[in-house]
Amino acid sequence: MAGKRDWLDAGIGILAEDGAPALTLERLTDRLNLTKGSFYHHFKGMAGYKTDLLAYYESEHTGRFVENAERAGEAAGARLERLMELVLESKDASDDLENAVRAWALQDGEVRALQERVDRLRVDYLRELVGGLGAADRERGPLARLFYLLLVGAQQVVPPVPGGELREIYTLALRLAPREDGRTP
């Protein structure tokens, strides 16, 4: 019998491959080669599944990244570098998922609320990190949004910007970021 995480992983895969319209009970059971009864053992219908899937997406694609970056130490530079590595390591694989969730958010209020929360959490964490690098108070919010928008934009263009190119862009942006003392890093 598949566990709850198996069902959620299957949903993430379907969502990334074919978008929210493909996220059906039939598609899930086919993917896992299991029965509907197994699904209902873990979830209260598709509405409950969607809620759990969105929470899982937030946890795995935001919370896990922040937790892993925090393990890099107290220095903001080390945490930012670790976060960048984590994002770039998963970027190519996660582009389709991120785009699918954003597209779904345009059609569904629950998903939109999740996307707004995820975007806010991500930018807030970046704001904390760039503040620790010595960015001027007035620059922290815009700089955090700039770093985040670089990622989102890199996912949205066709074809998406590869991780190696995005690394070069981030390195340049970090080099140009102003600090409290007026110098650039």
Side-chain angles (χ1 to χ4, degrees):
M1 179 182 246
K4 187 173 185 175
R5 186 177 178 115
D6 296 316
W7 289 99
L8 296 172
D9 284 335
I12 291 290
I14 292 167
L15 187 58
E17 292 163 15
D18 296 316
L23 201 52
T24 64
L25 182 53
E26 290 74 24
R27 183 84 182 266
L28 287 164
T29 56
D30 286 350
R31 168 136 328 179
L32 293 172
N33 198 28
L34 294 169
T35 66
K36 291 179 183 179
S38 177
F39 174 85
Y40 287 110
H41 175 76
H42 297 287
F43 305 100
K44 295 180 180 177
M46 284 303 288
Y49 177 76
K50 178 177 84 169
T51 298
D52 287 355
L53 183 67
L54 294 174
Y56 183 66
Y57 165 79
E58 180 177 5
S59 171
E60 290 296 304
H61 294 272
T62 299
R64 184 174 51 86
F65 282 80
V66 171
E67 288 170 12
N68 285 332
E70 286 296 305
R71 290 188 194 123
E74 290 188 28
R79 289 182 290 151
L80 184 59
E81 180 67 29
R82 181 64 183 139
L83 179 64
M84 184 174 72
E85 290 303 319
L86 292 166
V87 168
L88 293 174
E89 285 170 8
S90 69
K91 183 196 170 310
D92 296 336
S94 68
D95 284 350
D96 291 339
L97 176 61
E98 292 283 330
N99 288 337
V101 172
R102 286 189 186 285
W104 195 9
L106 296 173
Q107 307 296 318
D108 184 293
E110 182 181 1
V111 182
R112 180 181 176 87
L114 165 100
Q115 187 65 65
E116 288 174 359
R117 184 174 59 252
V118 164
D119 286 344
R120 188 174 47 255
L121 289 168
R122 291 171 177 178
V123 171
D124 286 349
Y125 186 61
L126 286 168
R127 183 180 295 116
E128 174 188 329
L129 293 179
V130 298
L133 293 176
D137 284 345
R138 71 183 188 295
E139 305 279 342
R140 290 175 186 169
L143 193 53
R145 283 189 294 280
L146 172 66
F147 287 137
Y148 190 54
L149 292 172
L150 288 172
L151 175 63
V152 172
Q155 293 168 334
Q156 295 292 314
V157 295
V158 178
V161 176
E165 286 182 41
L166 185 57
R167 178 186 313 279
E168 292 173 3
I169 294 167
Y170 275 132
T171 300
L172 176 62
L174 277 169
R175 228 179 28 242
L176 298 175
R179 293 192 171 192
E180 290 280 3
D181 60 11
R183 294 180 305 133
T184 54

